Amino acid sequence: MRPNDYLDRKIETATAKESERLQQVLLARQLDYLFARSEFYQEKCRAAGIRRKDFRKLYDLARFPFTTKEELRASQAAHPPLGRHIAADWRDVIRIHSSTGTSGKPSFVGITRRDAKGWTRLTARSFYTQGLRKADVVVHAAGLTLFVAGLTSKDAIESVGAVFVPLGTGASEKALTIIPLLRVNAMHCTPSYAAYFADFVRREAGMDPRELGLKKLFCGAEPGAGIPAVRAKLEQDWGARVTEGLGNADMAPIIFSECPEQSGMHFNGPDYVVAEIIDPQTGETLPHEAGVTGELVYTSLQRECVPLLRFRTRDRVQVLGTSCACGRTGFKLRCIGRTDDMLIVLGVNVFPSAIKDVVSSFHPATTGEIQIVLDKPGPGVAPPLKVVAECCGDPAASAALKLEIERKIKATLSVSASVELVHTGALPRYEMKGQLVKRASEDKAGI
Ligand SMILES: [Zn+2]
């Protein structure tokens, strides 16, 4: 390994035992802080019949109650602005971010100076894992305002010594001018934007996206860049290496990220977060072993403003491995989707991203753009699952392709689907996060 392969070698290459020992010490300290300063958690633990002294070893964490997003929302609504779960003194808060949930109401997250320092380091470590280096010029083509991964990415990229170009969203015209002038070689964006911008470059500038010279695409904020067929298409479009990251608005902007081996996102923050994987039905903690799937649950280790205890992310993940050629020891995973997005067809769980993966694998016969159409809100769906997919030829003359896609969906996901092929460009493109599911109720809401 070369000396510049890691930002924090000791943490990133620690043995499982070393990480566990560190987490145990930090968690004991974090629980002392929580029990002393947070009425919210004092009450929660009292109701669950658990006391501070019940925590001795790291595995005791599994005895503590979960925290849900709904609880945080209710706490904030009852005690504005940051909720009853705030544990720091209001005078120590230096910045507030927010996320917009499905209800459309913003949910706020405050950070102290120490929290900001932690977020910056963990985010920098994640970018560095993805291959960010001092010589890079990175255009940030994602949210820069309230979005947690906006200003934190700026701080993180600058801290590595690379150049941060704050483009923001909805600025594709500007990006076309700026990227060659500033010799930008890397872009931070959603995978939906990377796909959208490639089309934009071809359409508006009549250029091959490769001519812009981007060599590194740092993707995140939605699953996509980790879907093999989607990644392959983006890499082909841009002539760049695509890696992805995963974070959480309530915990930290980027917590997992892929190294250039591209074999799953490494857990980068054993000194900031305990990342459990649980069975979403039973709540049982599952081992970090290749092949295990479950929901990610986060517990903070060094948070001052809003420490979280066993926070259920609703992110459904699959563990891909526990060792890597890069030398990092953080376990690797791939995000399959949000538990909220999951559909159940005759008892079989299916994530929209898995359908997109199958359809994308037919590229170049398909563009990879899909939409799942639901007549009822779900998650239960009566078969066949209706999938609209763009094909590159004439839809009317593609009966064989339609049958092949249906057969492959059945073979790989055990779900009967009815595929309708449409012309290239017929489905909506999204500049930020893509929407793979169209519900009948959304039509009514739009009128
Ligand atoms: Zn690696």
Side-chain angles (χ1 to χ4, degrees):
M1 292 293 146
R2 290 189 311 276
N4 70 342
D5 278 348
Y6 316 100
L7 198 60
D8 294 312
R9 173 187 288 269
K10 224 177 143 196
I11 297 283
E12 292 172 72
T13 62
T15 63
K17 267 234 142 43
E18 286 166 342
S19 291
E20 201 183 303
R21 216 174 301 139
L22 174 68
Q23 292 197 321
Q24 199 168 286
V25 171
L26 291 171
L27 184 52
R29 237 181 265 162
Q30 181 86 88
L31 287 174
D32 284 341
Y33 178 82
L34 263 192
F35 274 81
R37 307 198 51 132
S38 167
E39 280 176 37
F40 176 85
Y41 283 109
Q42 284 163 4
E43 258 171 39
K44 241 179 112 56
C45 291
R46 203 179 304 132
I50 192 120
R51 293 155 304 173
R52 163 65 188 88
K53 64 175 184 183
D54 293 326
F55 179 83
R56 285 195 198 91
K57 297 282 181 193
L58 192 57
Y59 54 71
D60 290 325
L61 177 61
R63 300 169 62 186
F64 283 71
F66 292 115
T67 305
T68 64
K69 182 73 184 173
E70 293 71 33
E71 286 176 289
L72 298 187
R73 281 190 177 282
S75 155
Q76 209 157 82
H79 295 265
L82 293 183
R84 228 166 125 246
H85 52 287
I86 178 173
D89 195 306
W90 173 252
R91 284 169 300 187
D92 292 329
V93 177
I94 60 159
R95 200 163 78 212
I96 292 173
H97 284 278
S98 89
S99 61
T100 311
T102 40
S103 68
K105 262 196 176 168
S107 144
F108 298 112
V109 182
I111 50 174
T112 64
R113 193 165 303 282
R114 187 154 171 264
D115 291 337
K117 218 174 137 200
W119 272 18
T120 301
R121 194 63 187 177
L122 180 50
T123 303
R125 203 184 282 162
S126 296
F127 277 120
Y128 203 89
T129 298
Q130 288 177 271
L132 173 76
R133 291 297 180 271
K134 200 172 158 45
D136 291 328
V137 181
V138 189
V139 68
H140 177 87
L144 252 180
T145 55
L146 290 164
F147 175 48
V148 289
L151 292 169
T152 311
S153 293
K154 169 201 161 290
D155 292 342
I157 289 168
E158 288 175 1
S159 78
V160 169
V163 177
F164 180 82
V165 183
L167 181 77
T169 54
S172 300
E173 284 282 352
K174 217 178 271 174
L176 261 182
T177 318
I178 283 176
I179 290 173
L181 282 176
L182 295 179
R183 300 201 179 100
V184 170
N185 71 325
M187 180 159 72
H188 181 216
C189 60
T190 60
S192 294
Y193 184 73
Y196 170 89
F197 189 43
D199 284 344
F200 182 91
V201 172
R202 282 191 208 99
R203 192 178 66 239
E204 300 299 318
M207 273 168 75
D208 180 339
R210 288 166 175 250
E211 290 174 51
L212 283 181
L214 295 177
K215 293 292 170 213
K216 303 174 184 179
L217 294 188
F218 306 132
C219 292
E222 62 176 1
I227 299 174
V230 174
R231 188 208 304 271
K233 182 166 187 311
L234 287 178
E235 293 201 324
Q236 197 186 341
D237 276 354
W238 288 102
R241 187 170 59 212
V242 174
T243 52
E244 65 169 350
L246 172 73
N248 179 281
D250 289 285
M251 181 48 80
I254 311 177
I255 300 167
F256 288 83
S257 75
E258 258 181 331
C259 71
E261 296 288 323
Q262 297 175 311
S263 52
M265 294 181 269
H266 281 287
F267 175 49
N268 292 318
D271 48 343
Y272 290 107
V273 183
V274 178
E276 294 175 90
I277 296 173
I278 63 155
D279 178 320
Q281 261 81 48
T282 65
E284 182 199 349
T285 307
L286 303 172
H288 292 169
E289 281 170 15
V292 164
T293 62
E295 181 184 334
L296 258 181
V297 169
Y298 291 137
T299 297
S300 41
L301 291 173
Q302 302 197 42
R303 199 82 177 272
E304 286 184 336
C305 186
V306 279
L308 295 177
L309 183 61
R310 305 196 82 203
F311 180 66
R312 293 193 62 157
T313 62
R314 309 284 172 203
D315 281 333
R316 197 61 89 85
V317 296
Q318 178 176 32
V319 180
L320 296 185
T322 50
S323 65
C324 190
C326 77
R328 285 180 182 80
T329 49
F331 71 100
K332 294 183 287 190
L333 54 73
R334 178 180 149 189
C335 184
I336 308 166
R338 303 268 309 156
T339 302
D340 317 340
D341 296 339
M342 192 181 75
L343 303 171
I344 305 167
V345 186
L346 284 185
V348 177
N349 297 348
V350 57
F351 285 93
S353 57
I355 302 278
K356 185 174 169 75
D357 191 16
V358 172
V359 175
S360 300
S361 71
F362 285 88
H363 181 75
T366 62
T367 65
E369 296 297 330
I370 65 146
Q371 197 160 60
I372 295 168
V373 183
L374 300 185
D375 300 326
K376 290 186 184 134
V381 183
L385 187 66
K386 288 183 193 164
V387 179
V388 183
E390 283 184 0
C391 67
C392 295
D394 178 5
S398 304
L401 176 64
K402 166 189 153 70
L403 287 177
E404 263 183 76
I405 297 174
E406 287 173 352
R407 200 174 305 137
K408 194 163 176 190
I409 290 175
K410 179 82 189 167
T412 51
L413 304 172
S414 308
V415 161
S416 298
S418 154
V419 174
E420 181 197 343
L421 292 172
V422 294
H423 281 288
T424 300
L427 290 174
R429 299 295 196 269
Y430 297 92
E431 257 200 81
M432 279 299 281
K433 293 190 188 190
Q435 280 174 26
L436 300 183
V437 178
K438 187 175 180 229
R439 292 175 165 84
S441 54
E442 282 168 1
D443 278 347
K444 283 176 206 128
I447 293 169

